[in-house]
Amino acid sequence: MAVEADNSRRWTPRTLLVAALVLVAAQTVVRGALALGGNLYWDDLILTGRSAALPLLSPEFLFYNHDGHFMPAAFLTAGITTALAPLQWWAAAVTLIGLQLLAALAVLRVLWLLIGPRPALLAVLALYLFAPLTVPSFAWWAAGLNSLPLQAALAWVAGDALLLARTGRRRYALTGTLVTALALAFFEKSVLVPFVAFAVVALTMRVDGDATPIRTAWRAGLRLWLAAGAVIAVWAPVYLAVADTGIEVPTASEALAFVHHGTSLGVVPTLFGGPWQWTRWPPGPPWATPPDGLVVAAWVALVVAVVVSVRYKKRTGWVWTSAAAYVAASEVAMMLARSGADTTYELAQTLRYTSDSAVVLALGCALVARAPQRLVAQPPRRLVAQPPGRYDTGTIGAFGRTMTNPAVATVLVAGLVVSSVWSTVTFARSWQDNPGADYLATATRSLAEHRDVPLLDQPVSLMTLLPVAAPWNNASNVFAPLKDRPEFVGATSELRVLDESGRLVHATVEPARWTVQGSEPRCGIRIGPDGGEVPLTGPLMLWQWTAQLNYHATVDGVVDVGLGAGEAVAVPVRKGLNQAFVRIYGTGDHLSVRPRTPGLQLCLGAGPVGVVLPGTDVIDRPR
């Protein structure tokens, strides 16, 4: 008892709060370095492109099915950020750091409510703050705009539910409902927030000895449960109308493989500071590849922790069961939404789909720390009557005395933090191997230096966005936020393109077919005021083609050019002998040419119709 008294004097509430805030500050520094060392990646460019292409508050912008996600608040955040700092990564990084700080403080708040000012709080807080489970979703802006508000909401609404049950004050029902609604606007998985909050209240009452915890939790938080349910009832039809869930059920063997990759190679090693190493095949994101020894050690440590806590702490079995159920639900949701013939099991090792489990696991550890020792008989404790931090520390037994020993707590926190930070460092090294970042930087400079000639639209580098993202992989959309650039058009007089490194270079049309050389002397094919058809040397399949028009025009003007029955593109022409390059989509064996300008006539010579190939000659910088 003398040791415990000494510990109590050392770990005053003020001292422990300062220590906890130091941990939060340390995480902010580590995550800040990680964020600022990153860059826009994949879906981030879809967010910025849509932000520039559509009005900020329009339904088309906010209520958009983004790969099965319904996330209007995330779009709004991306839109504001893009408007303030177009294609500037530092601005996106600031939003990530800010959201992570909010989530960290929300977790600290709920842990304080559950554990009170005890050293065990530091270990549990560090588990959340530094566990690499949340690192991949944090570093990727598009993922962070989903996961970080969810993490903050899980912790905040659980805290509000506890305070509502303890005090009965309506304000906690109001704030809990508002946070739930806001989280739903960032990520549809936030539908689980009130259910997690209910589970936390019920489990808290159970470990405190309540004989009917579910009934008591329901009555104590009824205002919050009903209000959150009403929010979900309004949100659900909108979500179902907007989002395309695309559910695909995997086979039993596929499901087992996903669970193994997501749990043994994903979640479990991160709880003990792993995975320590990551693998990446650009342009894909990194995934965890923990050593076999770490996987085995992590499982052993987890099993020991569960067995010991169940053996020595009262009424903790359902705590572990509930935490495991949440992780399992996250993995099932991932399988249903992302399974398919082209899906690899390593997807589960990217950790993005289970990152919010870090909050739930931290809540579970807090409940275990709160639970009384089995070896010492204690009267039942009510949540309303007994806030944490006022319990008699003399009743917690040897296990509790060990956990509250400052030296033990310090060693546990330090070991976890060091291991986790190393995993964060190795992730950062892999994450920074992003070829798309160099492409964006080079292309941004090239476009700013050559604004004199309009450019045909083109897909960006495959290492930046794959064609599956079309049409948002087009340069006109990716670079739409930039003001200092040339215009992207359907037709131009000089063919320039961005090469694979982002440099602006001269280009040529690699012919798939040619326009035929007409028979009229000194003209070729004559196009009169009523227009005409220009035969090709063969048919073209349905595709996006580029035609080179070698023409002589009688006056300056505009002609419409199309392929077969495809949509026509307006092509400006100049008087005299010139060239024009036009990007046309369609199929057929002829081009249709129709002058818009009265009195305009053309003579067309043979020219290639095909795909654009970048040259090697970089365009000189204008002087």
Side-chain angles (χ1 to χ4, degrees):
M1 295 295 295
V3 173
E4 291 181 42
D6 182 63
N7 290 347
S8 177
R9 285 194 296 271
R10 291 182 182 181
W11 291 101
T12 63
R14 179 183 177 85
T15 302
L16 194 134
L17 179 59
V18 169
L21 291 176
V22 168
L23 284 177
V24 171
Q27 189 225 27
T28 303
V29 171
V30 172
R31 293 294 174 90
L34 172 61
L36 293 172
N39 211 308
L40 296 169
Y41 169 74
W42 199 263
D43 290 45
D44 301 346
L45 297 172
I46 299 176
L47 298 187
T48 57
R50 295 188 71 253
S51 298
L54 298 168
L56 184 64
L57 299 179
S58 65
E60 294 82 5
F61 177 63
L62 298 176
F63 298 99
Y64 172 72
N65 172 37
H66 181 68
D67 201 17
H69 294 305
F70 177 61
M71 41 190 271
F75 286 135
L76 183 61
T77 303
I80 294 173
T81 304
T82 302
L84 295 175
L87 290 187
Q88 296 295 309
W89 171 248
W90 67 264
V94 166
T95 64
L96 290 173
I97 296 168
L99 289 171
Q100 179 64 82
L101 181 59
L102 289 176
L105 293 174
V107 170
L108 172 57
R109 172 181 180 252
V110 72
L111 294 183
W112 193 277
L113 292 171
L114 286 170
I115 304 176
R118 295 164 51 194
L121 180 144
L122 296 179
V124 179
L125 179 63
L127 171 67
Y128 168 73
L129 292 178
F130 296 99
L133 181 57
T134 61
V135 166
S137 63
F138 165 81
W140 187 350
W141 190 36
L145 290 177
N146 289 155
S147 67
L148 291 172
L150 170 58
Q151 292 173 38
L154 285 169
W156 187 268
V157 177
D160 276 354
L162 288 167
L163 289 170
L164 176 62
R166 186 177 299 163
T167 67
R169 295 177 181 172
R170 295 182 179 180
R171 68 178 186 181
Y172 297 117
L174 175 62
T175 56
T177 303
L178 292 176
V179 171
T180 299
L182 182 60
L184 283 168
F186 277 96
F187 190 19
E188 66 276 358
K189 195 176 180 181
S190 299
V191 71
L192 298 176
V193 165
F195 297 96
V196 171
F198 178 84
V200 169
V201 175
L203 290 169
T204 301
M205 291 178 172
R206 175 166 175 77
V207 299
D208 284 353
D210 193 300
T212 57
I214 294 179
R215 181 185 305 172
T216 305
W218 173 256
R219 291 176 176 174
L222 185 61
R223 293 189 185 95
L224 176 56
W225 315 140
L226 293 180
V231 168
I232 293 173
V234 173
W235 167 87
V238 180
Y239 166 71
L240 293 174
V242 172
D244 180 10
T245 55
I247 292 177
E248 184 167 341
V249 180
T251 65
S253 60
E254 290 172 341
L256 289 175
F258 269 117
V259 171
H260 168 68
H261 283 259
T263 307
S264 294
L265 303 180
V267 174
V268 173
T270 67
L271 302 181
F272 300 93
W276 300 343
Q277 58 191 30
W278 309 78
T279 299
R280 186 178 192 183
W281 295 341
W287 67 86
T289 51
D292 292 341
L294 174 60
V295 174
V296 173
W299 268 113
V300 170
L302 179 60
V303 171
V304 169
V306 173
V307 171
V308 168
S309 64
V310 172
R311 171 67 179 83
Y312 291 104
K313 300 283 259 180
K314 291 184 177 181
R315 300 177 290 273
T316 55
W318 279 108
V319 174
W320 291 113
T321 301
S322 300
Y326 188 91
V327 175
S330 296
E331 293 181 346
V332 168
M334 172 192 65
M335 286 186 278
L336 293 177
R338 295 293 181 256
S339 293
D342 299 325
T343 303
T344 62
Y345 300 131
E346 284 76 13
L347 177 71
Q349 293 166 243
T350 63
L351 306 181
R352 299 194 309 275
Y353 301 95
T354 50
S355 60
D356 47 291
S357 299
V359 177
V360 174
L361 292 168
L363 292 171
C365 291
L367 288 165
V368 171
R370 180 188 178 94
Q373 273 280 13
R374 283 188 181 276
L375 300 182
V376 180
Q378 298 183 67
R381 298 177 294 176
R382 298 285 296 184
L383 175 66
V384 175
Q386 296 286 350
R390 299 184 181 179
Y391 300 147
D392 179 10
T393 56
T395 64
I396 62 177
F399 181 84
R401 286 193 296 272
T402 300
M403 291 301 297
T404 55
N405 183 288
V408 173
T410 301
V411 169
L412 289 175
V413 172
L416 180 64
V417 169
V418 169
S419 180
S420 298
V421 168
W422 174 247
S423 291
T424 303
V425 169
T426 56
F427 175 86
R429 292 173 180 171
S430 179
W431 184 244
Q432 289 169 0
D433 180 19
N434 179 11
D438 293 335
Y439 174 88
L440 289 174
T442 302
T444 299
R445 288 194 303 269
S446 297
L447 294 174
E449 293 171 356
H450 302 93
R451 292 168 291 168
D452 52 329
V453 176
L455 301 179
L456 291 186
D457 205 358
Q458 65 173 103
V460 297
S461 165
L462 293 177
M463 301 301 285
T464 303
L465 270 179
L466 291 175
V468 70
W472 302 109
N473 67 322
N474 286 336
S476 60
N477 288 319
V478 171
F479 298 108
L482 299 177
K483 304 302 181 185
D484 198 12
R485 61 170 176 81
E487 184 183 3
F488 288 95
V489 294
T492 185
S493 60
E494 184 177 339
L495 191 56
R496 300 175 173 183
V497 296
L498 295 167
D499 66 9
E500 285 297 303
S501 65
R503 302 176 306 166
L504 196 62
V505 298
H506 294 287
T508 58
V509 177
E510 178 69 15
R513 297 287 186 265
W514 289 78
T515 56
V516 300
Q517 179 64 44
S519 59
E520 183 174 335
R522 301 177 61 86
C523 181
I525 296 179
R526 181 175 296 277
I527 303 295
D530 295 332
E533 294 183 350
V534 181
L536 301 176
T537 55
L540 289 171
M541 63 180 288
L542 185 64
W543 193 249
Q544 189 80 57
W545 302 103
T546 298
Q548 176 179 323
L549 303 180
N550 301 314
Y551 70 87
H552 182 279
T554 55
V555 295
D556 291 347
V558 177
V559 297
D560 288 334
V561 179
L563 173 58
E567 183 177 356
V569 177
V571 181
V573 296
R574 292 176 298 167
K575 181 180 178 180
L577 186 63
N578 294 289
Q579 283 185 331
F581 300 87
V582 55
R583 197 164 184 255
I584 47 180
Y585 180 80
T587 180
D589 58 5
H590 66 274
L591 299 182
S592 60
V593 182
R594 298 284 184 273
R596 287 189 184 182
T597 305
L600 173 60
Q601 296 187 49
L602 297 175
C603 287
L604 290 176
V609 180
V611 295
V612 176
L613 291 183
T616 58
D617 296 332
V618 179
I619 297 173
D620 294 333
R621 182 175 181 177
R623 297 181 180 180

